[in-house]
Structure formats: C-alpha cells, structure tokens
C-alpha cells in the first residue's frame, strides 16, 4: 500500500496545488460580514419605519448570509487544525457541513418570506417607494463590493463560490427592489412590495438549490462535481505498464481537497523501481485532476485482486 504525503509537487516548474490561502479568505469574509451586517441594520430600521415587507424580507435574507459568511470563515480556520488520533483528517469536513447548513437555513428563510409575502399581497400596506429604492440602491453597492472580494478564489472552493454567487444574486435582488420602489412611487400600486418579496424568495431558491445539491453530495462522500471517474481511469491506463485501474473511490476531504483510493494493476514484468516511478507519475496526473491525496494499492496482472470487495465494486 502506497501513500501520497507530498501534496505540493512541482513538476516542470509549475505548481498544481490550487487552493485558497487562509489570509486572503479571512479578509474577504470579514469584509463581507461587516458590510452586509451594516446593510442589514439599515434595511431593518427603514423596513420597520415604512412597513416594507420587501425590505424586511431582504434584510432577513442578508442576515442569513452574514451568518453563513461567519460559519464559512470558522470552517476555513478549522481547515488548519491538524489531525489527531480521533479525527485523522482534522476538521476539514466542517467546510462541507457548513455549506450544507447554510443552504438549509436559506431554504427555511425562503419559506418564511413566501408565507408572509402571500399574506401581505392580499393585505398590503401603503409604503413610500422612493425610500425603498434609496435603501435598495445602497444594497447594490454593498453586495457588489462584497462579491468582488470573493471573485478571485470563487472557483477554488465551494464556500467561496457560494458566497460570491449569493452576493451577486443579492445585488440583482437589490436592483429589483430599486425598480419596484420607483414603480410604487409613480403608480401607488402597493401590492408591488409583497410581490417583490416573493420574487426575492424565488431568486434565493434558484441560487441556493445548486449549493444544497453540491454540499449534500459531498456530505455523502459522493464524487466531487469537477472530477470525472473516466478521466481518472484514463490518466492511469495511459501510463506504460499499467494494465488496469479499478476499485476507485474518490471523495472530498473538504471543500478544497479531494482524496482517492484505488487498486493499480501492473504488468508482471514491472520491477519495484518501475512501480515507484509509475506511482509518482500517476500522482502527478491526479493532481491535474484536482486529487491531492492518493492512496494506491498495487497488484500484478496475474495475481488475484487483493481485496474481495473488488468483485462487488462498481468502479
């Protein structure tokens, strides 16, 4: 059984360890938390003053986002905690669990917003559209600036991507509230306010559903979305001397690191020195496929599989 302990290989003068740094991520999350919490206070104050459900709904949504950003920041800090005898991977999985929790909280907030929106739609109150537009205009700036600080690392981690997408969606929601506020100001159609809150809920649902599915799959140790098992097989079988590559298991250790275990079948004429070279080559190829931790068990082509479970394995 061979284990890959060096996850920072540098072959040909280029690195393959594409991860976000804790310093950059911490700064981004702190900026996002401060800006959005300040905006939540503004929305709550003016929402209560003018009795605007759309502002209060958006405030509730933004407050949930603030909590999500805080939990994500905590998860990133836990990534750096070293493993121990009870938690050999440390607490890296918390980043996945936080993403799942964030999605579930947002789904609950969606239900509350839709319920109240339907009630208010038939019992709407007079609200000053101009005030809604001004407050929502502040929201566009806050959410857009917050999203920009996550843009650089959005494709490297599920929680960072989640933060970026939600903040951009929030900016779009704020734009919708601006337009709705202007419409209320000129038409006095006060039903627009609760209708906007329902639209807000729909946008949140659309942006949250993918996060829920991704985080749920990773929580169940499913294959990460950006990894294709056929590509993994091809990476191994293209190496000279490799006969087969099976009993493959790929899962996410965290939102930034993936692991693999598999059986590597080699030709009967492969020497011990050749075997080590093949393993090193394969690990290098797996890094290109975003697999940082590889555990490989080697077999010879004429030997029976070392593990009986191979017969029942689907991969």
């Amino acid at each position: 059984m061979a284990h890959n302990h060096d996850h920072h290989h540098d072959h040909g003068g280029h690195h393959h360890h594409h991860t976000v740094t804790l310093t950059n991520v911490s700064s981004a999350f702190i900026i996002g938390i401060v800006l959005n919490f300040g905006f939540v206070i503004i929305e709550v104050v003016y929402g209560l003053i003018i009795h605007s459900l759309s502002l209060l709904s958006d405030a509730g949504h933004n407050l949930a986002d603030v909590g999500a950003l805080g939990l994500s920041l905590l998860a990133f800090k836990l990534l750096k905690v070293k493993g121990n005898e009870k938690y050999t991977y440390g607490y890296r999985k918390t980043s996945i669990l936080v993403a799942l929790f964030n999605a579930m909280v947002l789904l609950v907030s969606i239900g509350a917003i839709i319920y109240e929106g339907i009630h208010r739609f038939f019992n709407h109150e007079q609200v000053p559209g101009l005030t809604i537009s001004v407050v929502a205009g502040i929201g566009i700036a806050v959410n857009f600036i917050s999203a920009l600080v996550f843009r650089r690392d959005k494709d490297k981690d599920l929680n960072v991507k989640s933060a970026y997408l939600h903040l951009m969606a929030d900016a779009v929601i704020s734009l919708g509230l601006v337009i709705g506020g202007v419409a209320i100001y000129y038409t006095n159609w006060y039903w627009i306010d609760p209708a906007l809150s329902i639209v807000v809920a729909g946008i949140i649902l659309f942006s949250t559903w993918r996060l829920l599915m991704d985080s749920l799959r990773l929580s169940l140790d499913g294959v990460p979305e950006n990894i294709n098992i056929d590509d993994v097989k091809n990476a191994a079988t293209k190496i000279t001397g490799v006969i087969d590559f099976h009993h493959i298991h790929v899962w996410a250790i965290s939102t930034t690191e993936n692991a693999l275990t598999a059986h590597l079948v080699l030709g009967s004429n492969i020497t011990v020195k050749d075997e080590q070279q093949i393993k090193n080559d394969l690990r290098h190829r797996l890094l290109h496929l975003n697999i940082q931790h590889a555990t490989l068990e080697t077999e010879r082509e004429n030997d029976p599989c070392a593990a009986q479970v191979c017969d029942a394995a689907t991969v």
Side-chain angles (χ1 to χ4, degrees):
M1 183 80 71
H3 300 268
N4 179 21
H5 297 290
D6 183 5
H7 309 129
H8 299 270
H9 294 276
D10 186 4
H11 296 266
H14 57 283
H15 288 278
H16 308 287
H17 191 60
H18 303 296
T19 58
V20 294
T21 62
L22 182 60
T23 301
N24 291 340
V25 168
S26 295
S27 298
F29 277 110
I30 290 172
I31 291 172
I33 290 170
V34 172
L35 288 177
N36 281 272
F37 186 69
F39 181 56
V40 165
I41 294 175
I42 293 174
E43 282 194 305
V44 169
V45 170
Y46 280 94
L48 290 174
I49 291 175
I50 67 175
H51 304 288
S52 170
L53 179 61
S54 60
L55 285 182
L56 291 175
S57 296
D58 196 43
H61 168 226
N62 282 318
L63 183 60
D65 279 353
V66 170
L69 292 173
L71 286 173
S72 296
L73 176 59
L74 175 62
F76 268 101
K77 290 187 177 296
L78 288 175
L79 283 175
K80 298 300 180 182
V81 177
K82 294 182 179 181
N84 53 52
E85 292 183 358
K86 292 186 178 295
Y87 298 93
T88 54
Y89 278 126
Y91 301 101
R92 299 175 185 178
K93 200 87 170 185
T94 54
S95 59
I96 296 173
L97 297 178
V98 163
L100 178 61
F101 179 75
N102 288 343
M104 294 175 66
V105 168
L106 285 171
L107 287 179
V108 172
S109 69
I110 289 169
I113 291 172
I114 292 177
Y115 175 81
E116 186 62 23
I118 293 174
H119 174 73
R120 282 282 192 96
F121 188 82
F122 296 103
N123 300 278
H124 48 262
E125 299 183 19
Q126 295 184 6
V127 292
L130 190 59
T131 302
I132 293 176
S133 293
V134 172
V135 174
I138 297 173
I140 294 176
V142 167
N143 287 303
F144 187 70
I145 293 172
S146 299
L148 285 181
V149 301
F150 291 100
R151 188 175 185 275
R152 181 175 64 178
D153 296 320
K154 67 181 179 65
D155 294 322
K156 301 176 184 177
D157 177 82
L158 184 62
N159 279 308
V160 175
K161 182 178 181 180
S162 168
Y164 174 79
L165 292 176
H166 274 99
L167 290 168
M168 288 301 290
D170 289 351
V172 174
I173 291 172
S174 294
L175 177 60
L177 294 182
V178 169
I179 296 172
V182 171
I184 292 173
Y185 179 75
Y186 283 106
T187 65
N188 290 328
W189 292 348
Y190 299 113
W191 56 265
I192 291 178
D193 183 59
L196 284 173
S197 69
I198 296 176
V199 172
V200 168
I203 294 175
I204 300 170
L205 177 61
F206 179 79
S207 62
T208 300
W209 189 255
R210 184 62 176 273
L211 171 65
L212 178 64
M213 293 296 100
D214 286 346
S215 55
L216 182 60
R217 183 179 66 255
L218 295 185
S219 298
L220 295 174
D221 286 337
V223 178
E225 182 184 22
N226 59 348
I227 294 178
N228 185 292
I229 293 295
D230 287 335
D231 291 341
V232 173
K233 283 184 177 180
N234 290 335
T237 54
K238 286 181 179 179
I239 300 175
T240 302
V242 175
I243 305 301
D244 191 22
F245 194 55
H246 63 270
H247 199 45
I248 304 169
H249 296 278
V250 181
W251 70 98
I253 298 175
S254 70
T255 53
T256 60
E257 296 176 278
N258 301 310
L260 169 146
T261 61
H263 290 187
L264 183 64
V265 182
L266 305 177
S268 56
N269 61 332
I270 297 298
T271 66
V272 174
K273 182 179 179 180
D274 291 336
E275 177 181 323
Q276 188 59 49
Q277 181 58 45
I278 289 173
K279 290 184 203 174
N280 291 338
D281 188 6
L282 178 55
R283 289 185 180 119
H284 174 70
R285 294 177 184 226
L286 292 175
L287 282 172
H288 278 282
L289 298 176
N290 199 28
I291 297 175
Q292 294 79 20
H293 303 258
T295 302
L296 305 171
E297 181 174 335
T298 55
E299 305 163 1
R300 291 297 185 269
E301 58 180 321
N302 296 324
D303 296 336
C305 186
Q308 294 179 355
V309 290
C310 280
D311 295 333
T314 57
V315 179

